[in-house]
Every structure is written in structure tokens, then in C-alpha cells.
Amino acid sequence: MAGGGFVSQGEVKQYGGKVTMFVVVACVVAATGGLIFGYDIGISGGVTSMDAFLERFFPSVYARMKESSEHQNQYCKFDSQLLTTFTSSLYIAGLIASFFASASTRLFGRKVSMLFGGATFLLGAAINGAATNVAMLIIGRLLLGVGVGFANQSVPVYLSEMAPAKLRGALNIGFQLAITIGIFGANLVNYGTSKISAGYGWRVSLALAAVPAIIMTTGALGLPDTPNSLLERGQTEKARRMFKKVRGSDNVDDEFQDLVDASESSKQVQHPWKNILERKYRPQLIMAIAIPFFQQLTGINVIMFYAPVLFKTLGFGDDASLMSAVISGLVNLVATFVSIFTVDRYGRRFLFIQGGIQMTICQVAIGIILGQKFGIAGTGSLTKASADWVLVLVCGYVAAFAWSWGPLGWLVPSEIFPLEIRSAGQSLTVSVNLLFTFFIAQAFLPALCYLKFGLFFFFAGFVVIMTTFIFFFLPETKNVPIEEMGLVWKKHWFWGKFVPSEGYVAMTDRKTGA
């Protein structure tokens, strides 16, 4: 069938065990790694819309902001490559760091990578808060990027390995929930610090990135290693004890044996970056590239990075632009709970497709309104009614992303890789995500200047493409044990031709008793 394929739950092994408070607490603590990513996404746009920050570090942009706006091209107010470099430099650093994080996660465990990421992010926050020139700002951003690269590589893998199959979606989305909390918190901080009359509010906003870094670092200190990671490092008995604690049962022999088998297979793989290119891993490889690529081309980080800048560009006042960003951040946070409560009930495909349709409608409508009000020349203004409609549509778009492509863009890649290439696969996902985050962040302000309202049609077109891709090529992975995921690809109408039958027969035989 062309609808993405489906594996009945009868063909996939269902293990025993129960959901323990130990696992829930561990996953909640690990998910706080998303706070640092979310805080950074939310803080940068608000800071770059503050007059005191622009006047000190980007005086040419500040001068344009103070010019008469009667005949000024509203789309080009913030067009500055130096300004976008401040925002996007973090993501190039994260891209490079993710490759080192892959080796660290594999050799030393997921916990060590989280600790290193949190500590590096903390150092970057201190440098940014104390910045006296653009060079210090960018150095601080680069260190923040290293922290994000390590956290984004290790946290989703940790969550997928600790969670039982029937709750893996909800617990893994805790990472995205932490991101949205970070964004919302950053929006509130920006709104509050913008009121500081002495003009150092931007410094407080940047320095407070230390708070989520401390939360993540101290939380990681108390986390246990996953059984998968312990097996990967040869600690079989410790892994068995941890697995019994994770599942809350002594009757875990069947599932633990599958983990041991997967671990033994993974040890035969000396070069995971080379092996990931093998034909049998083609479905996972394509998804690890396509999903984060499409996630960024929804245009979401344009909204999240530059929400205050965008609203200010469209004629919202200083306070109104920051408050509008707070509103969209709150919508983002609340809508993420929709995903948590529905992802393991309705599945990944349903949320992907529904979210894609809603995002397309909202983006096209925003483009039409801006085209009518500002035209090609970019001169004009929004009426209050039009501005309210833009805000409503932005919130509708953000909500759709928050319960679909936002959390699922991290969940699905983290759960589809076999253990032998899991760290490399997650690193590839993070790298593609950060690479295109960098491109989008670097290109948005110039693109807004030159493509004008057509930029929203551009992103809407990509949402249509990626939703179609999901419909045809992503099988449903809900409630499938992570070590049994190969069966899903084998039964898919398209990917089945790439996946060999051997390697899955033994697990099926143990299930049926053959």
C-alpha cells in the first residue's frame, strides 16, 4: 500500500514490565536538556530587537530603525549579515560538535555527553552576558553551540532507550516540551528585561542562559546510564540490574536478551559512519536526513528566532512585538502537550500529516495578508485588525508545528536506528538539523528583504512537499519496541526491498516459540 505501510502489533513483540516512577523521573530530568536549546532560540530574537543592544553592537541596523518609516521598505529594516551571524554562529558550532558528541556518546555514555554539553553552554552564557564587543558575542555563541550539539545528540537517544515502547513517544516528547518551556521562558525574560531603563536588559537576558545550563548539568549528575549504553561498553551484569530497575520487574529475560543480541551485533561494527551507508540501513539514513531537513524548511525557526523582529518589522510597537512573541511562545508550550497525550494513541503519521496541512494554510494566509498590505515595495502598514489576524495565524502555525513536526522531528529519528549505528544516526540527524538551522537563520532577514511576502509561500511549498513525503514513505512506529524496529521497515511497501530478512527472523521465532 502507498500510504506509508503498517505493521500490525501482532507481528511485533510486546514485552512485559511496567512503567516505573524511576524511568519517568529519569526521563523528565534528561529532557531538561531541551531547555538550553529552547532558551537560546527564544532569547536571540528578543535581544536583537532591543534598541540598547542594536545601538551598542549593530549601529547601522539601529540607525535604519530610527529612520522615518513612511517610505521605508519594512521588509528590509533588519537586513544585516553581521546581525544574522550573531544568531546563526551557534548552529555551525553545534553542527561540528555533534560529530564529536557521537563518539563521546558511544564511548563514554549518554550521561557524559549531557554533562559536557551543559558545562560548555554555561561558559558560553557567561561570556555573552559579559560581552563588550561583537567578537565576544560570537565566541559566546560558539560555545553555546557546542553545548547544544552535545545535548541534542545525547538527550533524545537517552529518552528513547529508557522509555518502554508504549510510552516512548510521550516521554521522548518531553525533550520538545523542555524546548518550548525554554522558548516561552526566554520570551518572558526578554519582555521583562526590555523594561530596564538603564539599557542593560539585553545583558541580563543573555546571562540568564546560565539557569537552564545549571539545571541540565546538575540533573545529569544524578542520572543513571541506560542499559543499552552499559551493554555497549561491556558492562553486562550492571546493564541487567539497571534493566530490571527500569522495567520494575525481574522477568525481563526476553527483552534483555534482545538488547544483548543487538549489542553484540553493534560491537561487530567498527566504523558506524561507514556502515550507516550500507543498503540495509537506507530507510533510516534517508529519514535521518529528510526529517530534520524538512523540519527546518517549515520556517519555524524563522518565527522562533525572529518573532519580535518579525512583529516589529510588521509594525507592532516595541512592547507589542515582545508581547506577541510571548503569546506565540505560550501557544507553542500548550500545544506540545497535545502531542504528548496523542502521539502514542493516534501515531506519528497522523500528527505529521495533520500538522503539515494546518501549517500550509496558515503560511499561505499570512503571505496573502502581507502581500495586500505591503505589496512588492514593502511600504505601508497593518491595520489593527490585520495585525491581529497575522498574530492569530502565526499562533495557528506554531500550534500545528508544536504537536507535529517539532516533537516528532526529534522523536522519530531517535527511535528508528539499530544500536550499532544509533549514535552515528542521531549525530547525523542533529547535524542536518543544525546545518539547515544555520542556513535558514543566516538567510531569513535577507530573504525577507528580497522575497518579501513570497517568503511565506516558499515555506508553505516545502510543507506540502514534506507532508506528501511522510504520507508515502514513513511507516507508523508507535508502540514498536526500539530493538524490533527493523520489522517495520521490512513490511513497508517501498523500504522493504532494502531491508534483508535475516536478523529479524530470530526475534520473531523467539516470540512465537518456534
Side-chain angles (χ1 to χ4, degrees), residues 5-327:
F6 178 73
V7 178
S8 70
Q9 295 305 304
E11 296 175 345
V12 175
K13 190 181 300 183
Q14 299 299 303
Y15 298 109
K18 57 186 178 182
V19 180
T20 64
M21 185 56 63
F22 174 77
V23 169
V24 172
V25 171
C27 287
V28 169
V29 172
T32 60
L35 288 174
I36 65 174
F37 193 27
Y39 188 88
D40 178 79
I41 290 173
I43 211 70
S44 56
V47 166
T48 53
S49 71
M50 293 182 186
D51 286 350
F53 179 80
L54 292 174
E55 186 177 14
R56 183 183 182 100
F57 296 105
F58 306 98
S60 62
V61 177
Y62 178 75
R64 280 203 302 272
M65 286 297 302
K66 295 305 177 184
E67 291 176 3
S68 172
S69 61
E70 184 178 352
H71 301 293
Q72 185 183 10
N73 188 331
Q74 299 298 306
Y75 296 118
C76 299
K77 281 182 177 180
F78 287 87
D79 184 17
S80 165
Q81 282 301 299
L82 187 60
L83 180 60
T84 51
T85 298
F86 161 71
T87 298
S88 59
S89 56
L90 178 149
Y91 302 100
I92 276 295
L95 166 65
I96 297 171
S98 65
F99 291 102
F100 293 96
S102 172
S104 169
T105 301
R106 184 180 175 92
L107 294 175
F108 305 112
R110 289 60 167 145
K111 175 178 174 177
V112 171
S113 288
M114 289 185 225
L115 284 169
F116 183 79
T120 309
F121 195 92
L122 181 60
L123 178 59
I127 292 175
N128 268 354
T132 57
N133 52 54
V134 174
M136 284 186 71
L137 284 178
I138 293 178
I139 290 171
R141 294 286 291 176
L142 292 174
L143 289 170
L144 295 178
V146 172
V148 166
F150 271 79
N152 286 10
Q153 205 281 338
S154 55
V155 172
V157 170
Y158 184 95
L159 293 172
S160 286
E161 290 181 344
M162 287 293 280
K166 60 185 176 182
L167 278 184
R168 189 175 62 245
L171 291 176
N172 194 291
I173 288 173
F175 179 66
Q176 177 67 19
L177 177 62
I179 291 177
T180 62
I181 292 172
I183 293 171
F184 180 59
N187 290 335
L188 288 175
V189 167
N190 280 333
Y191 186 76
T193 59
S194 68
K195 306 293 186 182
I196 298 176
S197 57
Y200 59 83
W202 60 269
R203 196 179 293 279
V204 176
S205 291
L206 294 178
L208 283 177
V211 174
I214 291 171
I215 292 173
M216 175 184 169
T217 306
T218 55
L221 284 171
L223 286 177
D225 263 319
T226 69
N228 309 65
S229 178
L230 292 169
L231 282 171
E232 204 169 40
R233 289 176 283 146
Q235 302 176 40
T236 304
E237 286 308 311
K238 187 175 181 180
R240 183 186 296 274
R241 291 194 299 271
M242 178 57 65
F243 198 65
K244 289 179 179 179
K245 191 173 183 181
V246 165
R247 291 292 180 260
S249 171
D250 290 332
N251 185 24
V252 297
D253 291 345
D254 194 23
E255 185 177 5
F256 185 73
Q257 186 59 48
D258 284 345
L259 294 184
V260 172
D261 292 343
S263 179
E264 290 302 316
S265 297
S266 74
K267 290 175 183 177
Q268 306 304 313
V269 178
Q270 300 298 317
H271 306 287
W273 283 103
K274 178 181 178 181
N275 287 78
I276 201 173
L277 299 176
E278 292 181 6
R279 177 181 173 87
K280 64 181 179 180
Y281 299 129
R282 194 65 46 79
Q284 296 97 324
L285 177 64
I286 295 299
M287 290 299 165
I289 295 172
I291 289 177
F293 167 76
F294 284 134
Q295 185 192 54
Q296 293 313 304
L297 285 169
T298 60
I300 185 61
N301 279 335
V302 166
I303 300 297
M304 292 304 165
F305 290 156
Y306 297 116
V309 171
L310 177 63
F311 288 128
K312 200 168 182 178
T313 295
L314 299 179
F316 291 66
D318 291 351
D319 285 352
S321 65
L322 288 169
M323 180 50 70
S324 298
V326 170
I327 293 171

Side-chain angles (χ1 to χ4, degrees), residues 398-422:
V398 168
F401 179 87
W403 62 56
S404 63
W405 280 86
L408 300 182
W410 294 107
L411 166 61
V412 172
S414 74
E415 68 183 358
I416 62 175
F417 282 98
L419 182 60
E420 63 267 22
I421 57 168
R422 189 170 298 152

